[in-house]
Amino acid sequence: SQYQVGDEVAIMARTLGGEITTRSVVLQRMSRNDLFANMIIPWFIGLVYAGSGLWVFSLRAKDASGRVFALFTASAAIAVAGIFDIHTFNRFTYLWTASLAIAGGAIFNLGWVFPQESRRFRKSTHFQWLGYLIGGGLLLWALPTLFNMLRPAAYIWAWRLEYAFLGVVLLFFVGVAAYRRYTSTSPLMRQQGRIILWGASISFMPIAIWFLATANRPEIRFSAYLLLPLILFPLAVAYAILRYRLLNTDYLFSRFIMYALLTAVTVSGYALMVSGLSLVLGGAISPNNPLLVGLMVFLLAAFFNPLRTYLQQLVDTVFFRGQGAYQEQLRKFGQDLSPAVGLDEIGALLRLYVEETIKPAQLHIFTPDSLSDYYIALPDASKQRTTDLSFATTSALPGMLERNKTHLFIGGGTELPSALESEKARIALLGAQVFAPLLGRDTRLIGFMALTSRTTGEPYSPQDLEYLSSLSDQAAIAIERNQVISVLERRVNDMNVLMRVSEGINVTQHFDDVLELVYAQTNRLISLRDFWILLYDDENDSYKYAFYLVDDIRSLEHENRPVEPGLGLARDVVRT
């Protein structure tokens, strides 16, 4: 800060052998290209990492994978964005060194909890701290070496070990993703593993090639542009975590990949054209030659649409295979659902499309029962409930479906989440492999579907689950609409009952007619077969049945008699 551009500054340096050397340096203004490459690009990459972590954390803060991913992206953002400070002011060297160690521990932890906790991790909860312990040990070793003038080169090995640790845990994370991609029975885990493999390969391939090249040719300089592909890694992991939770995520992700590939093809094609013409014509063509620029614009105009279409088909084939077969079914389902009224009709239509397309051996559609606060199964084509099992609205399974807002896959050796241990027996009796939530507009759970294994014996694919999620979204809107109408009709009925009771009491003179009125209007509110009215007798200090109905038949012999001491229910109602 004490000098100006153009000043000559003498710099003394001491070699590892202890020799003192002096060099003269003429101060220059950093070029725009260097500023962009060494500061803007790392800051932009750090912003992408931080934004990805905040995005996932805002939606999955209650899940271990969401919290650990946010920790990794935050530390990685500091590490990447801090490269400029490491090469200039050195104000955040301690923080930068700590961020490398934390990022390594977090990515190791993420490998065990994403997309689902492994059995070993669940049994040994302290195992999650292993990566942080190793990273913490490397950090404690590295901190005293920073700015140590007695051993000025000691920090080099400390940093190299942190680099090596970060590289090893990244390979471990990718290896775990590959293992789950090819061995897991869960379609979601296989799909997430495939996305991570592609994202990691594209992200780390350029920097890996540079590392291999510099091993044989050390004169090759490092370029910050090699860091640009690193943007894809946090986006791929975030997408894998949130894929089944956000509308239009598939569309946005596919378009991002397609335009990234289109940009890479365009830039590399232009660079190859310039290089080739320069070799042929002996350097007569410069990169900013108007003829060359015009030729490139013509080629882009001529081949842009075919190239874009081809790349879009390639991305859809790699990431979203088989989705086109379900689009027509979804369109027809939406048309058939519009005129459907009544919960049973909506449930029958949903059952028809699920069974015809996905072909589960058995399908249960659970909706809440307002009288019992339980989720009960809707009837099938035979007008019988598909199962007598029910789930309380406050139980673990509905709570997890509402909290996670995505389907739950259980089966084929997949571990049952620890939060569902209390539901283990009922889930086993149900025999379901897939639970798909029906979420209302305010993401409130208004029901869920339970699917057993497929009749064909094939495992559920990610496309099957995406189709199931789309059906659930459409059906949930119809069910929610039906529930609103039912509530309104019920309130109107309640008001009519109250009005009839009020009017009837005012005009009815006979006591028995009043009792019949109470019974008739109660039966309008709650369909019943057994009903009795118990009244207190002041003279005898006892309770008597004034009205007694069993199996829709009034029993006069039970009326006007004191309640026997053994009849506990009536006495408990009176007492409490």
Short mmCIF file of all heavy atoms in Angstrom, two decimals, residues 26-57:
data_model
loop_
_atom_site.label_atom_id
_atom_site.label_comp_id
_atom_site.label_asym_id
_atom_site.label_seq_id
_atom_site.Cartn_x
_atom_site.Cartn_y
_atom_site.Cartn_z
N VAL A 26 9.15 -5.10 -10.44
CA VAL A 26 8.44 -3.89 -10.85
C VAL A 26 6.94 -4.13 -10.64
O VAL A 26 6.38 -5.06 -11.21
CB VAL A 26 8.74 -3.54 -12.32
CG1 VAL A 26 7.95 -2.31 -12.74
CG2 VAL A 26 10.23 -3.30 -12.50
N LEU A 27 6.33 -3.29 -9.83
CA LEU A 27 4.91 -3.48 -9.50
C LEU A 27 4.05 -3.20 -10.72
O LEU A 27 4.23 -2.19 -11.41
CB LEU A 27 4.50 -2.56 -8.35
CG LEU A 27 5.27 -2.76 -7.03
CD1 LEU A 27 4.69 -1.86 -5.95
CD2 LEU A 27 5.19 -4.21 -6.60
N GLN A 28 3.11 -4.10 -10.99
CA GLN A 28 2.20 -3.98 -12.14
C GLN A 28 0.76 -4.05 -11.66
O GLN A 28 0.47 -4.61 -10.61
CB GLN A 28 2.45 -5.11 -13.15
CG GLN A 28 3.89 -5.19 -13.64
CD GLN A 28 4.08 -6.39 -14.55
OE1 GLN A 28 3.15 -6.82 -15.21
NE2 GLN A 28 5.30 -6.90 -14.59
N ARG A 29 -0.11 -3.47 -12.43
CA ARG A 29 -1.53 -3.57 -12.14
C ARG A 29 -2.04 -4.94 -12.62
O ARG A 29 -1.71 -5.38 -13.72
CB ARG A 29 -2.31 -2.46 -12.83
CG ARG A 29 -3.80 -2.46 -12.47
CD ARG A 29 -4.52 -1.29 -13.14
NE ARG A 29 -3.90 -0.02 -12.77
CZ ARG A 29 -4.17 0.63 -11.64
NH1 ARG A 29 -5.02 0.11 -10.77
NH2 ARG A 29 -3.59 1.77 -11.37
N MET A 30 -2.81 -5.61 -11.77
CA MET A 30 -3.34 -6.92 -12.16
C MET A 30 -4.28 -6.75 -13.36
O MET A 30 -5.16 -5.90 -13.35
CB MET A 30 -4.10 -7.55 -10.98
CG MET A 30 -4.68 -8.91 -11.29
SD MET A 30 -5.50 -9.66 -9.87
CE MET A 30 -4.10 -10.08 -8.85
N SER A 31 -4.08 -7.59 -14.35
CA SER A 31 -4.92 -7.51 -15.55
C SER A 31 -6.33 -7.98 -15.24
O SER A 31 -6.58 -8.70 -14.26
CB SER A 31 -4.31 -8.36 -16.66
OG SER A 31 -4.37 -9.74 -16.31
N ARG A 32 -7.25 -7.59 -16.10
CA ARG A 32 -8.64 -7.99 -15.91
C ARG A 32 -8.77 -9.51 -16.01
O ARG A 32 -9.58 -10.12 -15.29
CB ARG A 32 -9.52 -7.32 -16.95
CG ARG A 32 -9.65 -5.81 -16.76
CD ARG A 32 -10.62 -5.22 -17.77
NE ARG A 32 -10.77 -3.78 -17.57
CZ ARG A 32 -11.56 -3.01 -18.33
NH1 ARG A 32 -12.25 -3.56 -19.34
NH2 ARG A 32 -11.66 -1.72 -18.08
N ASN A 33 -8.00 -10.11 -16.90
CA ASN A 33 -8.08 -11.56 -17.05
C ASN A 33 -7.61 -12.28 -15.79
O ASN A 33 -8.25 -13.23 -15.32
CB ASN A 33 -7.24 -12.00 -18.25
CG ASN A 33 -7.34 -13.50 -18.50
OD1 ASN A 33 -8.43 -14.03 -18.68
ND2 ASN A 33 -6.21 -14.17 -18.51
N ASP A 34 -6.51 -11.79 -15.20
CA ASP A 34 -6.02 -12.40 -13.96
C ASP A 34 -6.99 -12.16 -12.80
O ASP A 34 -7.20 -13.03 -11.96
CB ASP A 34 -4.64 -11.84 -13.60
CG ASP A 34 -3.56 -12.36 -14.53
OD1 ASP A 34 -3.80 -13.39 -15.18
OD2 ASP A 34 -2.49 -11.73 -14.61
N LEU A 35 -7.54 -10.95 -12.77
CA LEU A 35 -8.50 -10.65 -11.71
C LEU A 35 -9.73 -11.55 -11.82
O LEU A 35 -10.23 -12.08 -10.82
CB LEU A 35 -8.91 -9.18 -11.80
CG LEU A 35 -9.82 -8.66 -10.67
CD1 LEU A 35 -9.09 -8.64 -9.35
CD2 LEU A 35 -10.35 -7.28 -11.02
N PHE A 36 -10.20 -11.75 -13.05
CA PHE A 36 -11.38 -12.59 -13.27
C PHE A 36 -11.07 -14.04 -12.91
O PHE A 36 -11.88 -14.72 -12.26
CB PHE A 36 -11.82 -12.48 -14.73
CG PHE A 36 -13.04 -13.28 -15.06
CD1 PHE A 36 -14.30 -12.82 -14.72
CD2 PHE A 36 -12.93 -14.51 -15.69
CE1 PHE A 36 -15.44 -13.56 -15.01
CE2 PHE A 36 -14.05 -15.25 -15.99
CZ PHE A 36 -15.31 -14.78 -15.65
N ALA A 37 -9.88 -14.51 -13.32
CA ALA A 37 -9.54 -15.92 -13.11
C ALA A 37 -9.22 -16.23 -11.66
O ALA A 37 -9.58 -17.30 -11.15
CB ALA A 37 -8.36 -16.32 -13.99
N ASN A 38 -8.56 -15.32 -10.97
CA ASN A 38 -8.07 -15.62 -9.62
C ASN A 38 -8.98 -15.14 -8.51
O ASN A 38 -8.84 -15.61 -7.38
CB ASN A 38 -6.68 -14.99 -9.42
CG ASN A 38 -5.63 -15.63 -10.30
OD1 ASN A 38 -5.17 -16.73 -10.04
ND2 ASN A 38 -5.25 -14.93 -11.37
N MET A 39 -9.92 -14.24 -8.81
CA MET A 39 -10.81 -13.76 -7.75
C MET A 39 -12.28 -13.98 -8.10
O MET A 39 -13.03 -14.57 -7.31
CB MET A 39 -10.57 -12.27 -7.47
CG MET A 39 -11.36 -11.76 -6.25
SD MET A 39 -11.10 -10.01 -5.90
CE MET A 39 -12.05 -9.26 -7.21
N ILE A 40 -12.71 -13.53 -9.26
CA ILE A 40 -14.14 -13.59 -9.60
C ILE A 40 -14.61 -15.04 -9.70
O ILE A 40 -15.65 -15.42 -9.13
CB ILE A 40 -14.43 -12.83 -10.91
CG1 ILE A 40 -13.96 -11.38 -10.78
CG2 ILE A 40 -15.91 -12.91 -11.24
CD1 ILE A 40 -14.64 -10.62 -9.66
N ILE A 41 -13.87 -15.88 -10.42
CA ILE A 41 -14.28 -17.28 -10.60
C ILE A 41 -14.34 -18.02 -9.26
O ILE A 41 -15.35 -18.67 -8.96
CB ILE A 41 -13.34 -18.00 -11.60
CG1 ILE A 41 -13.61 -17.47 -13.01
CG2 ILE A 41 -13.54 -19.50 -11.54
CD1 ILE A 41 -12.76 -18.12 -14.07
N PRO A 42 -13.28 -17.97 -8.41
CA PRO A 42 -13.40 -18.65 -7.11
C PRO A 42 -14.54 -18.11 -6.25
O PRO A 42 -15.22 -18.88 -5.56
CB PRO A 42 -12.03 -18.40 -6.45
CG PRO A 42 -11.11 -18.19 -7.59
CD PRO A 42 -11.92 -17.46 -8.61
N TRP A 43 -14.75 -16.79 -6.27
CA TRP A 43 -15.86 -16.24 -5.48
C TRP A 43 -17.19 -16.74 -6.00
O TRP A 43 -18.10 -17.04 -5.23
CB TRP A 43 -15.80 -14.71 -5.52
CG TRP A 43 -14.76 -14.14 -4.60
CD1 TRP A 43 -13.75 -14.83 -3.98
CD2 TRP A 43 -14.60 -12.77 -4.22
NE1 TRP A 43 -12.97 -14.00 -3.23
CE2 TRP A 43 -13.48 -12.71 -3.36
CE3 TRP A 43 -15.28 -11.61 -4.52
CZ2 TRP A 43 -13.04 -11.51 -2.80
CZ3 TRP A 43 -14.84 -10.42 -3.97
CH2 TRP A 43 -13.74 -10.38 -3.11
N PHE A 44 -17.34 -16.81 -7.31
CA PHE A 44 -18.59 -17.29 -7.91
C PHE A 44 -18.83 -18.76 -7.54
O PHE A 44 -19.94 -19.15 -7.17
CB PHE A 44 -18.55 -17.13 -9.42
CG PHE A 44 -19.73 -17.73 -10.13
CD1 PHE A 44 -20.99 -17.18 -10.01
CD2 PHE A 44 -19.57 -18.86 -10.91
CE1 PHE A 44 -22.08 -17.73 -10.65
CE2 PHE A 44 -20.65 -19.43 -11.56
CZ PHE A 44 -21.91 -18.86 -11.44
N ILE A 45 -17.77 -19.57 -7.61
CA ILE A 45 -17.90 -20.98 -7.23
C ILE A 45 -18.27 -21.09 -5.75
O ILE A 45 -19.13 -21.89 -5.36
CB ILE A 45 -16.59 -21.74 -7.53
CG1 ILE A 45 -16.32 -21.75 -9.04
CG2 ILE A 45 -16.66 -23.17 -7.00
CD1 ILE A 45 -14.99 -22.34 -9.40
N GLY A 46 -17.63 -20.30 -4.90
CA GLY A 46 -17.96 -20.31 -3.48
C GLY A 46 -19.41 -19.90 -3.23
O GLY A 46 -20.08 -20.46 -2.36
N LEU A 47 -19.90 -18.94 -4.01
CA LEU A 47 -21.29 -18.51 -3.87
C LEU A 47 -22.24 -19.64 -4.25
O LEU A 47 -23.27 -19.84 -3.59
CB LEU A 47 -21.54 -17.29 -4.76
CG LEU A 47 -22.93 -16.65 -4.66
CD1 LEU A 47 -23.17 -16.11 -3.26
CD2 LEU A 47 -23.08 -15.54 -5.69
N VAL A 48 -21.90 -20.40 -5.30
CA VAL A 48 -22.74 -21.53 -5.70
C VAL A 48 -22.76 -22.59 -4.59
O VAL A 48 -23.82 -23.15 -4.27
CB VAL A 48 -22.24 -22.13 -7.03
CG1 VAL A 48 -22.98 -23.43 -7.35
CG2 VAL A 48 -22.42 -21.13 -8.16
N TYR A 49 -21.60 -22.88 -4.00
CA TYR A 49 -21.55 -23.87 -2.91
C TYR A 49 -22.38 -23.39 -1.72
O TYR A 49 -23.18 -24.17 -1.16
CB TYR A 49 -20.10 -24.08 -2.48
CG TYR A 49 -19.39 -25.17 -3.24
CD1 TYR A 49 -18.91 -24.95 -4.52
CD2 TYR A 49 -19.19 -26.42 -2.68
CE1 TYR A 49 -18.26 -25.94 -5.23
CE2 TYR A 49 -18.54 -27.43 -3.38
CZ TYR A 49 -18.08 -27.19 -4.66
OH TYR A 49 -17.45 -28.18 -5.35
N ALA A 50 -22.21 -22.13 -1.34
CA ALA A 50 -22.96 -21.61 -0.19
C ALA A 50 -24.46 -21.60 -0.49
O ALA A 50 -25.27 -21.96 0.37
CB ALA A 50 -22.47 -20.21 0.17
N GLY A 51 -24.84 -21.18 -1.70
CA GLY A 51 -26.25 -21.16 -2.06
C GLY A 51 -26.87 -22.54 -2.08
O GLY A 51 -28.00 -22.74 -1.62
N SER A 52 -26.12 -23.54 -2.58
CA SER A 52 -26.63 -24.91 -2.60
C SER A 52 -26.86 -25.42 -1.18
O SER A 52 -27.87 -26.07 -0.89
CB SER A 52 -25.65 -25.83 -3.35
OG SER A 52 -25.46 -25.40 -4.68
N GLY A 53 -25.91 -25.13 -0.30
CA GLY A 53 -26.06 -25.57 1.08
C GLY A 53 -27.24 -24.92 1.78
O GLY A 53 -28.00 -25.59 2.49
N LEU A 54 -27.43 -23.62 1.58
CA LEU A 54 -28.58 -22.94 2.19
C LEU A 54 -29.89 -23.45 1.63
O LEU A 54 -30.89 -23.59 2.35
CB LEU A 54 -28.46 -21.43 1.95
CG LEU A 54 -27.37 -20.70 2.73
CD1 LEU A 54 -27.27 -19.26 2.28
CD2 LEU A 54 -27.64 -20.76 4.23
N TRP A 55 -29.91 -23.74 0.34
CA TRP A 55 -31.12 -24.26 -0.31
C TRP A 55 -31.53 -25.60 0.29
O TRP A 55 -32.68 -25.80 0.67
CB TRP A 55 -30.85 -24.38 -1.81
CG TRP A 55 -32.01 -24.87 -2.62
CD1 TRP A 55 -33.33 -24.63 -2.41
CD2 TRP A 55 -31.94 -25.70 -3.77
NE1 TRP A 55 -34.09 -25.25 -3.37
CE2 TRP A 55 -33.27 -25.91 -4.21
CE3 TRP A 55 -30.90 -26.27 -4.50
CZ2 TRP A 55 -33.56 -26.68 -5.34
CZ3 TRP A 55 -31.19 -27.02 -5.63
CH2 TRP A 55 -32.50 -27.23 -6.02
N VAL A 56 -30.56 -26.50 0.41
CA VAL A 56 -30.86 -27.81 0.98
C VAL A 56 -31.21 -27.70 2.46
O VAL A 56 -32.14 -28.34 2.95
CB VAL A 56 -29.66 -28.77 0.76
CG1 VAL A 56 -29.88 -30.08 1.50
CG2 VAL A 56 -29.45 -29.03 -0.72
N PHE A 57 -30.47 -26.87 3.19
CA PHE A 57 -30.70 -26.74 4.63
C PHE A 57 -32.09 -26.17 4.92
O PHE A 57 -32.73 -26.55 5.89
CB PHE A 57 -29.63 -25.84 5.24
CG PHE A 57 -29.71 -25.75 6.74
CD1 PHE A 57 -29.25 -26.78 7.55
CD2 PHE A 57 -30.25 -24.63 7.35
CE1 PHE A 57 -29.34 -26.70 8.93
CE2 PHE A 57 -30.34 -24.54 8.73
CZ PHE A 57 -29.88 -25.57 9.51
#
